[in-house]
Amino acid sequence: TMIQGFSELLLSRSLGPEREREALQRINASSERLARLIDDLLSVSRIESGRLVMRAAPLGLRDVVEEVAEPFAQAREVTVEVHGYVPLVLADRDMVVQILTNLISNAVKYSPAAAPVRIDLRAVGDMVEVTVEDRGIGLSKEDLGRLFQKFSRDDRKEVREIGGTGLGLYITRSLVEMQGGRIWAESELGHGSRFSFSLPMVRADAGSSPADAAVSTSDDGPSRISVSGELPERPPQPRPGGDGGEAVVERSPDGGH
């Protein structure tokens, strides 16, 4: 492996400060890629064996989207567009964070350095849809057809140079489907991509208004993320569980949607 090769080179001879630093940087990059591969393989194992448990509770997607997008917005424009009221969804917060991180990270990695990323949130029927759109290198029809399969990788030079395990979108699809949602992609080679996923809304109690299940936001000061859209009239009222506490659902992948 590259790690072993450069390690042996450093141990066997003196290369000088500049070449030694370059070798150490390559060792570090290779170890990070190996760690990502191990993490992804462990995630796939937990998903496919049914050992990954989902803990679902009412969740405001807008706040989670802003939280995940903020680090990426340090280097480029990230716009979050909220279309009307966006109800709470019933979802596992950690899973949603991983889904958004994978999609936004891909949008950034496969786009020019200054290209903006746009994230849209909207209610459609009894689901909330999130779309991550970039102006990057895009995908061919052939690559779109196998996009969410295990170890699926575009063979273009610019994609190989970026690297990856070929498991990220397979894991993302699995996490979305575990929560009763679906994921899909639209793309044109050389003209960017749109990745969308949907999650089920929290059903409002009888007699309550749509605003009862809308996402609440607070003004925490300036942000690098551009956000627009309507705000709810009042904060959400979480639906109580059977014991009077927060509604929490636990299920494993083989428990169905």
Side-chain angles (χ1 to χ4, degrees):
T1 66
M2 186 177 293
I3 295 174
Q4 183 178 7
F6 277 105
S7 299
E8 291 176 350
L9 185 62
L10 288 170
L11 290 169
S12 65
R13 68 185 70 175
S14 176
L15 302 176
E18 186 174 338
R19 291 190 62 192
E20 286 180 357
R21 179 175 178 80
E22 180 183 347
L24 288 170
Q25 288 174 335
R26 288 177 179 246
I27 290 172
N28 183 64
S30 295
S31 65
E32 288 179 350
R33 283 195 295 270
L34 183 59
R36 287 195 297 270
L37 176 60
I38 292 170
D39 287 343
D40 284 351
L41 288 171
L42 288 172
S43 293
V44 169
S45 175
R46 286 192 293 268
I47 289 169
E48 294 185 343
S49 66
R51 290 183 290 113
L52 184 63
V53 177
M54 184 183 82
R55 294 176 174 84
L59 180 68
L61 281 180
R62 177 173 178 166
D63 290 339
V64 181
V65 166
E66 290 185 43
E67 175 188 321
V68 175
E70 178 66 32
F72 298 100
Q74 305 300 318
R76 68 179 62 211
E77 176 188 348
V78 178
T79 300
V80 179
E81 181 78 19
V82 183
H83 301 269
Y85 286 115
V86 178
L88 297 172
V89 297
L90 188 63
D92 182 303
R93 192 181 194 282
D94 291 340
M95 290 185 181
V96 173
V97 167
Q98 185 171 354
I99 291 164
L100 288 167
T101 300
N102 287 349
L103 295 181
I104 299 173
S105 174
N106 282 349
V108 170
K109 285 192 298 185
Y110 298 111
S111 299
V117 173
R118 173 176 170 139
I119 307 168
D120 290 274
L121 291 87
R122 55 168 55 84
V124 179
D126 60 354
M127 309 290 280
V128 173
E129 288 185 5
V130 181
T131 297
V132 179
E133 182 176 1
D134 64 63
R135 299 180 188 175
I137 61 177
L139 293 156
S140 66
K141 290 182 179 179
E142 292 75 18
D143 288 323
L144 271 176
R146 56 177 181 264
L147 192 60
F148 297 103
Q149 298 174 9
K150 276 189 292 189
F151 300 110
S152 174
R153 291 282 294 162
D154 190 319
D155 198 41
R156 283 176 291 171
K157 179 183 177 182
E158 58 265 42
V159 176
R160 292 199 308 269
E161 289 175 347
I162 293 171
T165 65
L167 291 169
L169 288 176
Y170 172 79
I171 293 169
T172 300
R173 186 197 73 184
S174 300
L175 295 179
V176 170
E177 292 178 349
M178 276 185 65
Q179 299 175 90
R182 71 183 189 95
I183 186 169
W184 64 98
E186 306 162 81
S187 186
E188 184 179 351
L189 199 61
H191 295 280
S193 303
R194 288 166 50 92
F195 283 81
S196 303
F197 68 93
S198 62
L199 293 171
M201 297 177 184
V202 173
R203 295 177 60 125
D205 291 331
S208 63
S209 70
D212 288 334
V215 175
S216 64
T217 59
S218 59
D219 184 5
D220 295 323
S223 171
R224 293 177 182 268
I225 305 174
S226 171
V227 182
S228 60
E230 288 187 69
L231 294 177
E233 295 174 2
R234 58 183 183 273
Q237 302 296 321
R239 187 175 55 178
D243 59 356
E246 184 181 48
V248 177
V249 179
E250 293 192 15
R251 59 185 177 191
S252 58
D254 56 356
H257 295 164

mmCIF file of all heavy atoms in Angstrom, residues 100-143:
data_model
loop_
_atom_site.group_PDB
_atom_site.id
_atom_site.type_symbol
_atom_site.label_atom_id
_atom_site.label_comp_id
_atom_site.label_asym_id
_atom_site.label_seq_id
_atom_site.Cartn_x
_atom_site.Cartn_y
_atom_site.Cartn_z
ATOM 1 N N LEU A 100 -27.551 14.642 4.765
ATOM 2 C CA LEU A 100 -27.260 15.989 4.274
ATOM 3 C C LEU A 100 -25.763 16.207 4.089
ATOM 4 O O LEU A 100 -25.335 16.832 3.108
ATOM 5 C CB LEU A 100 -27.829 17.028 5.244
ATOM 6 C CG LEU A 100 -29.351 17.164 5.254
ATOM 7 C CD1 LEU A 100 -29.804 17.971 6.476
ATOM 8 C CD2 LEU A 100 -29.832 17.853 3.975
ATOM 9 N N THR A 101 -24.970 15.699 5.023
ATOM 10 C CA THR A 101 -23.512 15.855 4.907
ATOM 11 C C THR A 101 -23.002 15.189 3.634
ATOM 12 O O THR A 101 -22.188 15.771 2.900
ATOM 13 C CB THR A 101 -22.808 15.250 6.133
ATOM 14 O OG1 THR A 101 -23.255 15.931 7.319
ATOM 15 C CG2 THR A 101 -21.296 15.398 6.018
ATOM 16 N N ASN A 102 -23.477 13.982 3.345
ATOM 17 C CA ASN A 102 -23.047 13.285 2.135
ATOM 18 C C ASN A 102 -23.431 14.060 0.874
ATOM 19 O O ASN A 102 -22.616 14.233 -0.044
ATOM 20 C CB ASN A 102 -23.660 11.880 2.082
ATOM 21 C CG ASN A 102 -23.021 10.926 3.068
ATOM 22 O OD1 ASN A 102 -21.989 11.223 3.659
ATOM 23 N ND2 ASN A 102 -23.650 9.779 3.267
ATOM 24 N N LEU A 103 -24.671 14.539 0.821
ATOM 25 C CA LEU A 103 -25.146 15.210 -0.393
ATOM 26 C C LEU A 103 -24.487 16.574 -0.598
ATOM 27 O O LEU A 103 -24.094 16.926 -1.719
ATOM 28 C CB LEU A 103 -26.672 15.347 -0.351
ATOM 29 C CG LEU A 103 -27.466 14.038 -0.370
ATOM 30 C CD1 LEU A 103 -28.961 14.325 -0.351
ATOM 31 C CD2 LEU A 103 -27.110 13.188 -1.592
ATOM 32 N N ILE A 104 -24.374 17.355 0.474
ATOM 33 C CA ILE A 104 -23.755 18.683 0.341
ATOM 34 C C ILE A 104 -22.266 18.543 0.058
ATOM 35 O O ILE A 104 -21.704 19.286 -0.759
ATOM 36 C CB ILE A 104 -24.007 19.534 1.599
ATOM 37 C CG1 ILE A 104 -25.508 19.756 1.801
ATOM 38 C CG2 ILE A 104 -23.298 20.882 1.481
ATOM 39 C CD1 ILE A 104 -25.872 20.440 3.114
ATOM 40 N N SER A 105 -21.619 17.578 0.705
ATOM 41 C CA SER A 105 -20.201 17.342 0.456
ATOM 42 C C SER A 105 -19.950 16.976 -1.001
ATOM 43 O O SER A 105 -19.012 17.481 -1.638
ATOM 44 C CB SER A 105 -19.691 16.224 1.373
ATOM 45 O OG SER A 105 -18.360 15.880 1.060
ATOM 46 N N ASN A 106 -20.789 16.121 -1.567
ATOM 47 C CA ASN A 106 -20.653 15.758 -2.978
ATOM 48 C C ASN A 106 -20.861 16.964 -3.879
ATOM 49 O O ASN A 106 -20.135 17.149 -4.869
ATOM 50 C CB ASN A 106 -21.651 14.664 -3.342
ATOM 51 C CG ASN A 106 -21.209 13.292 -2.877
ATOM 52 O OD1 ASN A 106 -20.076 13.098 -2.448
ATOM 53 N ND2 ASN A 106 -22.106 12.325 -2.938
ATOM 54 N N ALA A 107 -21.860 17.784 -3.555
ATOM 55 C CA ALA A 107 -22.124 18.975 -4.371
ATOM 56 C C ALA A 107 -20.914 19.899 -4.392
ATOM 57 O O ALA A 107 -20.582 20.494 -5.422
ATOM 58 C CB ALA A 107 -23.351 19.722 -3.831
ATOM 59 N N VAL A 108 -20.235 20.013 -3.261
ATOM 60 C CA VAL A 108 -19.054 20.868 -3.165
ATOM 61 C C VAL A 108 -17.865 20.240 -3.888
ATOM 62 O O VAL A 108 -17.156 20.901 -4.652
ATOM 63 C CB VAL A 108 -18.707 21.144 -1.681
ATOM 64 C CG1 VAL A 108 -17.348 21.814 -1.552
ATOM 65 C CG2 VAL A 108 -19.782 22.012 -1.043
ATOM 66 N N LYS A 109 -17.640 18.941 -3.662
ATOM 67 C CA LYS A 109 -16.468 18.265 -4.234
ATOM 68 C C LYS A 109 -16.487 18.238 -5.749
ATOM 69 O O LYS A 109 -15.442 18.366 -6.391
ATOM 70 C CB LYS A 109 -16.388 16.822 -3.714
ATOM 71 C CG LYS A 109 -15.905 16.686 -2.289
ATOM 72 C CD LYS A 109 -15.580 15.251 -1.946
ATOM 73 C CE LYS A 109 -16.774 14.344 -2.039
ATOM 74 N NZ LYS A 109 -16.466 12.970 -1.580
ATOM 75 N N TYR A 110 -17.682 18.070 -6.328
ATOM 76 C CA TYR A 110 -17.762 17.892 -7.774
ATOM 77 C C TYR A 110 -18.189 19.160 -8.497
ATOM 78 O O TYR A 110 -18.744 19.107 -9.597
ATOM 79 C CB TYR A 110 -18.718 16.737 -8.098
ATOM 80 C CG TYR A 110 -18.244 15.423 -7.533
ATOM 81 C CD1 TYR A 110 -18.907 14.797 -6.491
ATOM 82 C CD2 TYR A 110 -17.090 14.820 -8.025
ATOM 83 C CE1 TYR A 110 -18.455 13.596 -5.961
ATOM 84 C CE2 TYR A 110 -16.625 13.622 -7.503
ATOM 85 C CZ TYR A 110 -17.307 13.015 -6.476
ATOM 86 O OH TYR A 110 -16.844 11.829 -5.937
ATOM 87 N N SER A 111 -17.921 20.323 -7.884
ATOM 88 C CA SER A 111 -18.229 21.620 -8.485
ATOM 89 C C SER A 111 -16.978 22.485 -8.522
ATOM 90 O O SER A 111 -16.068 22.292 -7.703
ATOM 91 C CB SER A 111 -19.318 22.349 -7.678
ATOM 92 O OG SER A 111 -20.517 21.622 -7.643
ATOM 93 N N PRO A 112 -16.915 23.452 -9.438
ATOM 94 C CA PRO A 112 -15.806 24.416 -9.422
ATOM 95 C C PRO A 112 -15.734 25.147 -8.094
ATOM 96 O O PRO A 112 -16.745 25.267 -7.376
ATOM 97 C CB PRO A 112 -16.161 25.372 -10.568
ATOM 98 C CG PRO A 112 -17.061 24.587 -11.460
ATOM 99 C CD PRO A 112 -17.838 23.675 -10.562
ATOM 100 N N ALA A 113 -14.564 25.655 -7.758
ATOM 101 C CA ALA A 113 -14.315 26.234 -6.434
ATOM 102 C C ALA A 113 -15.295 27.344 -6.068
ATOM 103 O O ALA A 113 -15.680 27.479 -4.912
ATOM 104 C CB ALA A 113 -12.885 26.745 -6.360
ATOM 105 N N ALA A 114 -15.696 28.172 -7.018
ATOM 106 C CA ALA A 114 -16.556 29.316 -6.704
ATOM 107 C C ALA A 114 -18.032 29.050 -6.979
ATOM 108 O O ALA A 114 -18.871 29.937 -6.788
ATOM 109 C CB ALA A 114 -16.095 30.544 -7.497
ATOM 110 N N ALA A 115 -18.374 27.850 -7.426
ATOM 111 C CA ALA A 115 -19.760 27.559 -7.806
ATOM 112 C C ALA A 115 -20.662 27.472 -6.581
ATOM 113 O O ALA A 115 -20.311 26.834 -5.597
ATOM 114 C CB ALA A 115 -19.816 26.255 -8.594
ATOM 115 N N PRO A 116 -21.838 28.107 -6.628
ATOM 116 C CA PRO A 116 -22.745 28.066 -5.474
ATOM 117 C C PRO A 116 -23.460 26.729 -5.360
ATOM 118 O O PRO A 116 -23.548 25.957 -6.320
ATOM 119 C CB PRO A 116 -23.746 29.182 -5.784
ATOM 120 C CG PRO A 116 -23.781 29.245 -7.273
ATOM 121 C CD PRO A 116 -22.386 28.919 -7.727
ATOM 122 N N VAL A 117 -23.963 26.450 -4.163
ATOM 123 C CA VAL A 117 -24.790 25.277 -3.898
ATOM 124 C C VAL A 117 -26.128 25.765 -3.370
ATOM 125 O O VAL A 117 -26.168 26.647 -2.506
ATOM 126 C CB VAL A 117 -24.121 24.328 -2.879
ATOM 127 C CG1 VAL A 117 -25.066 23.204 -2.481
ATOM 128 C CG2 VAL A 117 -22.824 23.763 -3.436
ATOM 129 N N ARG A 118 -27.206 25.218 -3.892
ATOM 130 C CA ARG A 118 -28.550 25.632 -3.473
ATOM 131 C C ARG A 118 -29.276 24.454 -2.839
ATOM 132 O O ARG A 118 -29.227 23.332 -3.344
ATOM 133 C CB ARG A 118 -29.340 26.149 -4.677
ATOM 134 C CG ARG A 118 -30.794 26.448 -4.368
ATOM 135 C CD ARG A 118 -31.493 27.045 -5.550
ATOM 136 N NE ARG A 118 -32.925 27.097 -5.326
ATOM 137 C CZ ARG A 118 -33.693 28.106 -5.671
ATOM 138 N NH1 ARG A 118 -33.171 29.170 -6.252
ATOM 139 N NH2 ARG A 118 -34.992 28.078 -5.443
ATOM 140 N N ILE A 119 -29.948 24.729 -1.718
ATOM 141 C CA ILE A 119 -30.714 23.703 -1.010
ATOM 142 C C ILE A 119 -32.154 24.188 -0.891
ATOM 143 O O ILE A 119 -32.401 25.284 -0.376
ATOM 144 C CB ILE A 119 -30.126 23.427 0.384
ATOM 145 C CG1 ILE A 119 -28.630 23.097 0.274
ATOM 146 C CG2 ILE A 119 -30.880 22.289 1.064
ATOM 147 C CD1 ILE A 119 -27.907 23.094 1.600
ATOM 148 N N ASP A 120 -33.098 23.401 -1.379
ATOM 149 C CA ASP A 120 -34.522 23.763 -1.337
ATOM 150 C C ASP A 120 -35.276 22.832 -0.406
ATOM 151 O O ASP A 120 -35.031 21.618 -0.394
ATOM 152 C CB ASP A 120 -35.133 23.675 -2.733
ATOM 153 C CG ASP A 120 -34.635 24.768 -3.662
ATOM 154 O OD1 ASP A 120 -35.228 25.854 -3.646
ATOM 155 O OD2 ASP A 120 -33.645 24.541 -4.386
ATOM 156 N N LEU A 121 -36.202 23.408 0.374
ATOM 157 C CA LEU A 121 -37.088 22.640 1.236
ATOM 158 C C LEU A 121 -38.519 22.991 0.890
ATOM 159 O O LEU A 121 -38.866 24.177 0.780
ATOM 160 C CB LEU A 121 -36.846 22.952 2.715
ATOM 161 C CG LEU A 121 -35.537 22.495 3.354
ATOM 162 C CD1 LEU A 121 -34.457 23.541 3.156
ATOM 163 C CD2 LEU A 121 -35.748 22.258 4.846
ATOM 164 N N ARG A 122 -39.367 21.977 0.751
ATOM 165 C CA ARG A 122 -40.781 22.216 0.457
ATOM 166 C C ARG A 122 -41.615 21.032 0.934
ATOM 167 O O ARG A 122 -41.120 19.906 1.024
ATOM 168 C CB ARG A 122 -41.002 22.441 -1.040
ATOM 169 C CG ARG A 122 -40.480 21.332 -1.940
ATOM 170 C CD ARG A 122 -40.972 21.465 -3.380
ATOM 171 N NE ARG A 122 -40.668 22.734 -3.952
ATOM 172 C CZ ARG A 122 -39.502 23.081 -4.528
ATOM 173 N NH1 ARG A 122 -38.510 22.197 -4.551
ATOM 174 N NH2 ARG A 122 -39.335 24.258 -5.048
ATOM 175 N N ALA A 123 -42.875 21.322 1.229
ATOM 176 C CA ALA A 123 -43.833 20.276 1.582
ATOM 177 C C ALA A 123 -44.534 19.822 0.309
ATOM 178 O O ALA A 123 -45.009 20.643 -0.478
ATOM 179 C CB ALA A 123 -44.842 20.802 2.588
ATOM 180 N N VAL A 124 -44.581 18.509 0.106
ATOM 181 C CA VAL A 124 -45.257 17.937 -1.060
ATOM 182 C C VAL A 124 -46.136 16.787 -0.569
ATOM 183 O O VAL A 124 -45.623 15.739 -0.163
ATOM 184 C CB VAL A 124 -44.245 17.422 -2.111
ATOM 185 C CG1 VAL A 124 -44.989 16.820 -3.302
ATOM 186 C CG2 VAL A 124 -43.313 18.530 -2.568
ATOM 187 N N GLY A 125 -47.441 16.989 -0.573
ATOM 188 C CA GLY A 125 -48.344 15.972 -0.043
ATOM 189 C C GLY A 125 -48.076 15.770 1.435
ATOM 190 O O GLY A 125 -48.060 16.726 2.223
ATOM 191 N N ASP A 126 -47.855 14.518 1.834
ATOM 192 C CA ASP A 126 -47.575 14.230 3.243
ATOM 193 C C ASP A 126 -46.078 14.030 3.494
ATOM 194 O O ASP A 126 -45.685 13.425 4.483
ATOM 195 C CB ASP A 126 -48.356 13.001 3.703
ATOM 196 C CG ASP A 126 -48.007 11.753 2.893
ATOM 197 O OD1 ASP A 126 -47.249 11.874 1.911
ATOM 198 O OD2 ASP A 126 -48.513 10.665 3.238
ATOM 199 N N MET A 127 -45.245 14.552 2.582
ATOM 200 C CA MET A 127 -43.797 14.442 2.713
ATOM 201 C C MET A 127 -43.155 15.825 2.672
ATOM 202 O O MET A 127 -43.741 16.788 2.168
ATOM 203 C CB MET A 127 -43.216 13.591 1.577
ATOM 204 C CG MET A 127 -43.882 12.242 1.379
ATOM 205 S SD MET A 127 -43.545 11.064 2.721
ATOM 206 C CE MET A 127 -41.902 10.509 2.233
ATOM 207 N N VAL A 128 -41.938 15.912 3.205
ATOM 208 C CA VAL A 128 -41.107 17.103 3.041
ATOM 209 C C VAL A 128 -39.937 16.720 2.152
ATOM 210 O O VAL A 128 -39.261 15.725 2.402
ATOM 211 C CB VAL A 128 -40.589 17.633 4.396
ATOM 212 C CG1 VAL A 128 -39.593 18.769 4.180
ATOM 213 C CG2 VAL A 128 -41.753 18.120 5.251
ATOM 214 N N GLU A 129 -39.733 17.512 1.094
ATOM 215 C CA GLU A 129 -38.662 17.242 0.145
ATOM 216 C C GLU A 129 -37.504 18.210 0.343
ATOM 217 O O GLU A 129 -37.704 19.398 0.561
ATOM 218 C CB GLU A 129 -39.159 17.356 -1.300
ATOM 219 C CG GLU A 129 -40.056 16.223 -1.729
ATOM 220 C CD GLU A 129 -40.433 16.306 -3.197
ATOM 221 O OE1 GLU A 129 -39.914 17.212 -3.914
ATOM 222 O OE2 GLU A 129 -41.244 15.476 -3.647
ATOM 223 N N VAL A 130 -36.293 17.680 0.272
ATOM 224 C CA VAL A 130 -35.069 18.475 0.329
ATOM 225 C C VAL A 130 -34.301 18.214 -0.962
ATOM 226 O O VAL A 130 -34.103 17.058 -1.350
ATOM 227 C CB VAL A 130 -34.193 18.099 1.537
ATOM 228 C CG1 VAL A 130 -32.933 18.966 1.574
ATOM 229 C CG2 VAL A 130 -34.974 18.226 2.837
ATOM 230 N N THR A 131 -33.880 19.283 -1.633
ATOM 231 C CA THR A 131 -33.109 19.160 -2.866
ATOM 232 C C THR A 131 -31.786 19.894 -2.721
ATOM 233 O O THR A 131 -31.760 21.047 -2.287
ATOM 234 C CB THR A 131 -33.881 19.731 -4.073
ATOM 235 O OG1 THR A 131 -35.078 18.970 -4.259
ATOM 236 C CG2 THR A 131 -33.045 19.647 -5.347
ATOM 237 N N VAL A 132 -30.693 19.224 -3.062
ATOM 238 C CA VAL A 132 -29.360 19.825 -3.058
ATOM 239 C C VAL A 132 -28.914 19.934 -4.522
ATOM 240 O O VAL A 132 -28.775 18.923 -5.205
ATOM 241 C CB VAL A 132 -28.352 18.986 -2.257
ATOM 242 C CG1 VAL A 132 -26.970 19.634 -2.294
ATOM 243 C CG2 VAL A 132 -28.823 18.821 -0.812
ATOM 244 N N GLU A 133 -28.712 21.162 -4.981
ATOM 245 C CA GLU A 133 -28.403 21.406 -6.398
ATOM 246 C C GLU A 133 -27.035 22.062 -6.542
ATOM 247 O O GLU A 133 -26.696 22.984 -5.803
ATOM 248 C CB GLU A 133 -29.477 22.302 -7.007
ATOM 249 C CG GLU A 133 -29.280 22.578 -8.486
ATOM 250 C CD GLU A 133 -30.426 23.388 -9.081
ATOM 251 O OE1 GLU A 133 -31.356 23.737 -8.315
ATOM 252 O OE2 GLU A 133 -30.385 23.678 -10.292
ATOM 253 N N ASP A 134 -26.250 21.567 -7.497
ATOM 254 C CA ASP A 134 -24.936 22.155 -7.752
ATOM 255 C C ASP A 134 -24.783 22.471 -9.233
ATOM 256 O O ASP A 134 -25.619 22.095 -10.056
ATOM 257 C CB ASP A 134 -23.816 21.207 -7.292
ATOM 258 C CG ASP A 134 -23.782 19.900 -8.077
ATOM 259 O OD1 ASP A 134 -23.554 19.950 -9.302
ATOM 260 O OD2 ASP A 134 -23.981 18.826 -7.485
ATOM 261 N N ARG A 135 -23.710 23.161 -9.552
ATOM 262 C CA ARG A 135 -23.391 23.497 -10.941
ATOM 263 C C ARG A 135 -22.067 22.845 -11.334
ATOM 264 O O ARG A 135 -21.201 23.459 -11.934
ATOM 265 C CB ARG A 135 -23.309 25.021 -11.114
ATOM 266 C CG ARG A 135 -24.613 25.732 -10.790
ATOM 267 C CD ARG A 135 -24.479 27.229 -10.966
ATOM 268 N NE ARG A 135 -25.659 27.948 -10.489
ATOM 269 C CZ ARG A 135 -25.754 29.267 -10.437
ATOM 270 N NH1 ARG A 135 -24.724 30.020 -10.823
ATOM 271 N NH2 ARG A 135 -26.859 29.843 -9.997
ATOM 272 N N GLY A 136 -21.947 21.597 -10.969
ATOM 273 C CA GLY A 136 -20.690 20.884 -11.142
ATOM 274 C C GLY A 136 -20.580 20.110 -12.433
ATOM 275 O O GLY A 136 -21.191 20.447 -13.451
ATOM 276 N N ILE A 137 -19.819 19.009 -12.387
ATOM 277 C CA ILE A 137 -19.463 18.271 -13.594
ATOM 278 C C ILE A 137 -20.608 17.425 -14.129
ATOM 279 O O ILE A 137 -20.586 17.000 -15.283
ATOM 280 C CB ILE A 137 -18.236 17.379 -13.331
ATOM 281 C CG1 ILE A 137 -18.524 16.350 -12.230
ATOM 282 C CG2 ILE A 137 -17.030 18.227 -12.968
ATOM 283 C CD1 ILE A 137 -17.366 15.398 -11.972
ATOM 284 N N GLY A 138 -21.634 17.175 -13.322
ATOM 285 C CA GLY A 138 -22.784 16.417 -13.786
ATOM 286 C C GLY A 138 -22.497 14.938 -13.991
ATOM 287 O O GLY A 138 -21.377 14.456 -13.787
ATOM 288 N N LEU A 139 -23.533 14.205 -14.415
ATOM 289 C CA LEU A 139 -23.454 12.764 -14.591
ATOM 290 C C LEU A 139 -24.095 12.360 -15.910
ATOM 291 O O LEU A 139 -25.048 12.998 -16.376
ATOM 292 C CB LEU A 139 -24.179 12.039 -13.455
ATOM 293 C CG LEU A 139 -23.573 12.167 -12.060
ATOM 294 C CD1 LEU A 139 -24.643 11.935 -11.009
ATOM 295 C CD2 LEU A 139 -22.432 11.181 -11.876
ATOM 296 N N SER A 140 -23.599 11.290 -16.491
ATOM 297 C CA SER A 140 -24.211 10.746 -17.702
ATOM 298 C C SER A 140 -25.432 9.916 -17.327
ATOM 299 O O SER A 140 -25.620 9.543 -16.166
ATOM 300 C CB SER A 140 -23.200 9.869 -18.445
ATOM 301 O OG SER A 140 -22.893 8.712 -17.677
ATOM 302 N N LYS A 141 -26.264 9.583 -18.323
ATOM 303 C CA LYS A 141 -27.439 8.746 -18.071
ATOM 304 C C LYS A 141 -27.030 7.376 -17.552
ATOM 305 O O LYS A 141 -27.700 6.790 -16.693
ATOM 306 C CB LYS A 141 -28.260 8.602 -19.349
ATOM 307 C CG LYS A 141 -28.966 9.887 -19.774
ATOM 308 C CD LYS A 141 -29.798 9.664 -21.025
ATOM 309 C CE LYS A 141 -30.513 10.945 -21.423
ATOM 310 N NZ LYS A 141 -31.327 10.764 -22.659
ATOM 311 N N GLU A 142 -25.914 6.851 -18.072
ATOM 312 C CA GLU A 142 -25.442 5.544 -17.634
ATOM 313 C C GLU A 142 -25.043 5.570 -16.158
ATOM 314 O O GLU A 142 -25.380 4.653 -15.391
ATOM 315 C CB GLU A 142 -24.240 5.107 -18.481
ATOM 316 C CG GLU A 142 -24.556 4.792 -19.936
ATOM 317 C CD GLU A 142 -24.793 6.037 -20.782
ATOM 318 O OE1 GLU A 142 -24.381 7.137 -20.353
ATOM 319 O OE2 GLU A 142 -25.396 5.904 -21.860
ATOM 320 N N ASP A 143 -24.344 6.628 -15.739
ATOM 321 C CA ASP A 143 -23.928 6.729 -14.341
ATOM 322 C C ASP A 143 -25.127 6.960 -13.425
ATOM 323 O O ASP A 143 -25.151 6.458 -12.294
ATOM 324 C CB ASP A 143 -22.911 7.855 -14.175
ATOM 325 C CG ASP A 143 -21.562 7.495 -14.768
ATOM 326 O OD1 ASP A 143 -21.168 6.317 -14.663
ATOM 327 O OD2 ASP A 143 -20.901 8.367 -15.355
#
